[in-house]
Amino acid sequence: MFSIFPSARLRPSPFFEATVTDGVTSFTTYNHMLMPTGFGKPEEEYWRIINGVSMWDVAVERQVQLKGPDAGKLAQILSPRDLSKCAVGQGKYVALCNHHGVLINDPILLKLADDLYWFSIADSNIWFWAQAVAAERGLNVEISEPDVSPLAVQGPKAEAVIASMFGDWVKELKYFWFKETEIEGIPVAVARSGWSKQGGFEIYLMDGSKGTQLWNMVKEAGKPWDIGPGNPNACERVESGLLSFGGDTDGQTNPYEVRMGKYVDLDVPDDVVGIQALRKIKADGPKRHQLGVRLEGSEPIMTAFHWFDIMQGNQKIGGMTNIVWSWRLKQNIGFALVSVDAKPGDAVQVIRDGKPVNGTLCELPFI
Ligand code: THG
């Protein structure tokens, strides 16, 4: 239909050539890069994540590196989650907010040393944001985008693959914790993390010239477990209730609306960006919340290009922010960002192509 290619501006991932060799059929853009979104067999790719092991080029999850004496101070100023007990080698899921308490990214924060942190970011320009805040606050910290590219290995058999490559110590890694190491001379960090609920690891490649080599090592090591290429899987993540920043959020969304309130600590210092606004939002009570919606009908509905309106009678109560065919539930499901007056169990109508489809609100996750 049409083509899209990397360039100096739409930067190639270190794994780009390897994914082309392995038959990638579609990409999306993310952080000014291309990310594979399929290898031509969506259902097979889905079941491989549920039952086996899948490898993903997620180099688009760029690292915003904070380095220097004030790195820890800046990390805390940018994150309304208490980082005072974050240990070296630990990662934490954090909600970055602007001064109005609006969510602007949902990265994983990795603490590599007392003076070295990475925000492993979702799709927005945090590099600019961190530089601006650091300069305005007069902090002694250098902000950069290092040559670091995650490769995810996800699924119930991921641990066996990663242990066969790196050793049994990986089995002891706690969720979001990581360790720097090397494999055949390639510097990497190995983390227990990834955007699925099927378990898995991420290998942070720290030398972009070794992308094809690392990809092929994982592919080879995974053969006994029938590893195959995949990508952050829309169906699995919706079933599992994982948030997609920018997909499920808009320019007004605060963490409380999208189930991230548990990552906001209201007693962090007053200089944390957005904390005053978040305290007020919490005190006033958020206006919207995120639920699931299950639609009637036994045929897959094509992916949405935009949010679908959700109605109760003739009143619009919010939007359906994604839609997938769930192979496990055998129905169309998605997330609803709706008025807090709408509750699980409520009947709703989702407007698709101008026509209402009946649905029911439910708690997340679906599975
Ligand atoms: N890996 C890396 N960086 C990333 C992502 C990743 N950056 C952007 C994006 N993904 C961050 N978003 C998420 C969202 C949810 C989770 C992980 C990354 C997640 N959430 C669990 C949940 O919500 O149930 C658990 C969170 C917790 O308990 O702390 O796993 O995938 N490198």
Side-chain angles (χ1 to χ4, degrees), residues 38-52:
F39 289 79
K41 293 176 180 150
E43 187 167 359
E44 192 178 304
E45 289 161 31
Y46 167 80
W47 287 113
R48 186 178 286 132
I49 295 163
I50 304 299
N51 296 323

Side-chain angles (χ1 to χ4, degrees), residues 307-311 315-320 337-339:
W307 294 7
F308 295 145
D309 284 351
I310 300 182
M311 311 291 292
Q315 197 188 352
K316 182 182 165 184
I317 60 162
M320 184 167 179
L337 187 58
V338 289
S339 158

Side-chain angles (χ1 to χ4, degrees), residues 197-335:
K197 280 290 194 184
Q198 307 313 313
F201 292 80
E202 292 181 311
I203 308 171
Y204 288 74
L205 170 65
M206 295 197 262
D207 176 352
S209 71
K210 300 291 197 320
T212 301
Q213 194 184 334
L214 181 65
W215 180 273
N216 288 334
M217 283 165 62
V218 174
K219 189 173 157 181
E220 192 58 36
K223 269 193 181 143
W225 294 275
D226 198 25
I227 201 168
N231 64 286
N233 190 276
C235 176
E236 192 283 335
R237 78 95 180 172
V238 172
E239 291 175 338
S240 298
L242 293 177
L243 183 72
S244 174
F245 170 79
D248 302 324
T249 62
D250 60 18
Q252 281 82 45
T253 307
N254 66 62
Y256 296 104
E257 295 178 325
V258 288
R259 299 174 295 129
M260 290 193 76
K262 57 181 177 285
Y263 308 118
V264 176
D265 293 310
L266 290 176
D267 50 4
V268 293
D270 290 347
D271 64 357
V272 172
V273 176
I275 196 65
Q276 272 91 346
L278 289 163
R279 288 173 186 151
K280 185 164 187 327
I281 291 166
K282 173 77 176 176
D284 293 351
K287 305 282 178 287
R288 299 185 292 183
H289 63 167
Q290 192 179 45
L291 297 173
V293 54
R294 299 165 179 261
L295 297 184
E296 285 177 8
S298 52
E299 291 296 315
I301 292 177
M302 213 188 81
T303 306
F305 292 146
H306 52 77
W307 294 7
F308 295 145
D309 284 351
I310 300 182
M311 311 291 292
Q312 269 180 333
N314 46 24
Q315 197 188 352
K316 182 182 165 184
I317 60 162
M320 184 167 179
T321 67
N322 57 56
I323 182 166
V324 295
W325 174 257
S326 166
W327 278 292
R328 280 184 287 177
L329 299 174
K330 305 213 169 12
Q331 63 184 163
N332 291 296
I333 59 170
F335 294 179

Side-chain angles (χ1 to χ4, degrees), residues 30 61 93 106 108 120-122 150 175-176 194-195 197 202 204 242-243 263:
Y30 194 106
E61 282 149 0
Y93 185 38
D106 69 332
I108 293 164
S120 182
I121 59 169
Y175 206 64
F176 287 142
W195 204 55
K197 280 290 194 184
E202 292 181 311
Y204 288 74
L242 293 177
L243 183 72
Y263 308 118

Side-chain angles (χ1 to χ4, degrees), residues 74-86:
L74 180 60
Q76 182 64 83
I77 285 171
L78 296 174
S79 319
R81 180 172 184 175
D82 180 9
L83 301 178
S84 60
K85 292 183 190 70
C86 188

